[in-house]
């Protein structure tokens, strides 16, 4: 019996730490796809898709050598796009866009290494610009808002 347990533990740990290369899918206990992507040299590579427990898309992200790199799209629980985020070597960098659940833009602006930079525009659900906030290295410099 002791030998059986040792073999079982070996097999379980071996499968948990097995080298990963090629296509990868993970399904939940209910059989619904939870994530899908590819490994290259044991690191996430290219586009990966993640899903909520009910199968609705939660995130599409791009990886290079296991690090977020490129465009990521986040979705709410109903599958509505809520953000387009850009990464460079794991840092949020470049244009970032956030959305209302209706698909209209809520805000957009630039980030460098995870910090807001430049003018960020904020919109009403009808698409009208309601305000502009200027940032430098994550620090708010000023704010311009429209009065109703």
């Amino acid at each position: 019996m002791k030998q059986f347990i040792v073999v079982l533990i070996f097999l379980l740990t071996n499968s948990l730490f097995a080298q990963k290369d090629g296509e990868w899918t993970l399904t939940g206990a209910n059989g619904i796809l939870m994530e899908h992507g590819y490994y290259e040299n044991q690191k996430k590579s290219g586009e990966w898709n993640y899903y909520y427990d009910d199968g609705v898309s939660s995130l599409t992200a791009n990886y290079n050598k296991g690090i977020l790199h490129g465009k990521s799209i986040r979705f709410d629980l109903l599958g509505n796009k809520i953000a387009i985020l850009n990464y460079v070597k794991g840092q949020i960098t470049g244009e970032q866009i956030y959305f209302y659940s209706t698909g209209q833009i809520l805000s957009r602006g630039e980030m460098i290494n995870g910090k807001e930079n430049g003018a960020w525009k904020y919109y009403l659900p009808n698409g009208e610009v309601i305000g502009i906030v200027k940032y430098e290295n994550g620090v708010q410099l000023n704010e311009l808002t429209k009065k109703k």
Side-chain angles (χ1 to χ4, degrees):
M1 183 67 173
K2 190 175 183 180
Q3 188 177 20
F4 172 75
I5 292 173
V6 170
V7 170
L8 182 62
I9 290 172
F10 173 77
L11 290 173
L12 286 173
T13 56
N14 213 21
S15 67
L16 288 174
F17 299 104
Q19 290 190 7
K20 297 176 186 171
D21 258 346
E23 187 173 11
W24 171 263
T25 57
L26 176 68
T27 55
N30 55 5
I32 292 178
L33 182 64
M34 300 303 295
E35 65 181 63
H36 176 263
Y38 294 87
Y39 278 96
E40 187 176 307
N41 297 320
Q42 302 181 47
K43 295 182 180 182
K44 289 181 177 182
S45 180
E47 183 176 285
W48 276 70
N49 293 288
Y50 300 88
Y51 304 89
Y52 292 112
D53 290 340
D54 60 359
V56 172
S57 184
S58 66
L59 172 67
T60 296
N62 285 282
Y63 292 87
N64 183 15
K65 298 180 182 174
I67 298 171
L68 282 168
H69 189 82
K71 185 183 346 182
S72 290
I73 303 172
R74 297 190 183 271
F75 302 90
D76 67 16
L77 292 169
L78 299 174
N80 300 308
K81 179 172 50 179
I82 56 173
I84 297 175
L85 308 172
N86 288 288
Y87 290 84
V88 174
K89 297 181 181 176
Q91 292 286 325
I92 294 181
T93 299
E95 184 179 41
Q96 314 303 316
I97 307 171
Y98 296 88
F99 299 89
Y100 290 101
S101 61
T102 60
Q104 294 294 327
I105 295 176
L106 169 67
S107 65
R108 76 182 324 149
E110 294 284 327
M111 292 185 85
I112 298 175
N113 295 323
K115 296 180 180 179
E116 297 91 345
N117 271 288
W120 275 70
K121 291 185 179 180
Y122 296 85
Y123 301 84
L124 292 171
N126 67 5
E128 179 185 350
V129 175
I130 189 64
I132 299 173
V133 178
K134 290 189 179 179
Y135 295 92
E136 186 176 310
N137 201 26
V139 177
Q140 182 176 335
L141 300 178
N142 64 19
E143 179 178 337
L144 302 168
T145 56
K146 282 188 168 183
K147 294 185 181 189
K148 287 188 167 186

